Structures are given as structure tokens and as C-alpha cells.
Amino acid sequence: MLGLERGVVKLEPYNYKWSMLFNKERELLISQIKDLIIKIEHVGSTSIEGIFAKPIIDIAIGVSSLDRIIKINEKVKEIGYAEIPVDIEDKHVFAKYKGNKITHFLHVMIFNQNLWRDQISFRDYLRSFPDSKLEYIKLKEALANKYPNDVISYTNEKKKFVDDILKKAKKI
């Protein structure tokens, strides 16, 4: 089942349907914002085979300039997305809900800048290095048990691991 209530941390085993759900959403997004974007990528744990994940599809959208956000906001609003405030410079996030559950996140950032490269590098590193993927699974499970209703603490405590993986990824 896709979706979680905001703030809830509940992991599910990897589901092959997540890739199909991403592809379906990508086609919908392309039909709305193709002329405003450079690239769309499936990111986050649902994009990495074998990873336990919150059942929310994370989608990175690369743009040439954040000046496009106003138009993107208008277009994705038509298909059920709402912008949510984030405290990350040069990034905008939109959530799609089904009922009271978030099913998708759009992470809009400048294509091929640091934020974009980090999202892709982290995903690709874990796809390529099974030991790191296993370590990440264990960390996520421990944190999900520790913070079942506190997604902010869950995310913050993963940061050191993520930063370490990004350092390793830059060396290859």
C-alpha cells in the first residue's frame, strides 16, 4: 500500500510495484511540466531494490532555474500536489496526498547542482554496494523503531550515514 500520514515512520519491505508507480507518475508529470524541466529521476529508498522504505515515492525533478517554481507549482497543483515548506536552500518540495496519506514527494532543484548530484549519487552508491545497503537497512529499522511518530528525528539521525556515503561516492 502506498502512502503514510505526515510525520509517521513505518517501513515496508521493498516492493517492485514502486518502480511501476514511479513510471506512471513520471508520465503524468511529463504531461504537465515537460517544458519546465530537464530531468525526472526516481530517488529515495523506494528506488533501491531490497531497501526497506517508507511507502512514499520520492521523485527528483531537475530544472535549469528555480524561477520555474511558480509555473511548476501551478501545474502540479492541478494533479494533486501541494508545496510544503522545507528549510533547504535551492530546493522546493511538493507532496501528493491520497486522503490523509502522502503518496509522493517531488524534490525540485537545479539540475546537476550539488543537491541534485547528492540525491543521485546516494541512490547509485547504495544500488552498487550491497554492504552499505545492508548497513543502511539496519540503521533505518533501528531508527524507525526509535522514532515511529517523529520523521524529523528519524531523518536527522540518518544524516551522518548519508554524508559518509556521499563522501565515499565522490571518491569513485
Side-chain angles (χ1 to χ4, degrees):
M1 180 110 180
L2 194 62
L4 280 180
E5 291 179 20
R6 190 165 186 161
V8 172
V9 179
K10 182 181 174 204
L11 303 179
E12 293 185 7
Y14 180 79
N15 187 329
Y16 289 95
K17 291 180 182 177
W18 291 337
S19 179
M20 291 182 289
L21 291 168
F22 162 74
N23 288 330
K24 182 178 176 185
E25 197 67 16
R26 177 181 57 204
E27 293 306 313
L28 178 60
L29 288 163
I30 287 171
S31 76
Q32 296 294 310
I33 59 175
K34 179 181 180 182
D35 57 331
L36 300 170
I37 65 172
I38 296 173
K39 193 154 188 177
I40 297 178
E41 291 275 343
H42 188 186
V43 295
S45 293
T46 61
S47 71
I48 305 166
E49 188 175 329
I51 292 268
F52 281 55
K54 294 186 313 270
I56 298 171
I57 307 297
D58 286 290
I59 301 170
I61 296 184
V63 295
S64 60
S65 165
L66 291 178
D67 294 341
R68 297 175 178 262
I69 289 298
I70 292 171
K71 278 205 177 271
I72 289 172
N73 190 1
E74 291 169 5
K75 297 280 190 180
V76 299
K77 192 175 190 178
E78 293 173 14
I79 56 172
Y81 284 91
E83 187 165 11
I84 57 174
V86 292
D87 197 20
I88 302 170
E89 191 175 342
D90 296 329
K91 182 175 182 181
H92 291 262
V93 177
F94 300 84
K96 188 173 195 177
Y97 291 83
K98 184 173 185 177
N100 64 340
K101 294 183 177 184
I102 298 171
T103 59
H104 299 76
F105 280 121
L106 301 181
H107 306 268
V108 181
M109 60 205 97
I110 298 174
F111 177 73
N112 240 0
Q113 294 291 324
N114 289 339
L115 290 172
W116 176 270
R117 286 193 302 265
D118 286 352
Q119 289 267 330
I120 304 307
S121 295
F122 183 76
R123 176 199 68 194
D124 291 351
Y125 190 91
L126 290 183
R127 283 178 173 175
S128 300
F129 293 92
D131 289 346
S132 293
K133 180 166 58 173
L134 184 58
E135 187 180 345
Y136 191 47
I137 291 168
K138 289 178 183 177
L139 173 64
K140 288 177 61 133
E141 288 177 324
L143 294 176
N145 287 328
K146 186 175 180 181
Y147 300 113
N149 296 301
D150 185 357
V151 75
I152 293 170
S153 295
Y154 167 83
T155 301
N156 288 342
E157 286 207 29
K158 291 189 308 179
K159 185 171 178 6
K160 183 185 180 325
F161 180 88
V162 171
D163 290 345
D164 289 345
I165 292 296
L166 290 173
K167 285 177 193 169
K168 291 177 184 179
K170 287 177 180 162
K171 292 179 182 178
I172 56 172

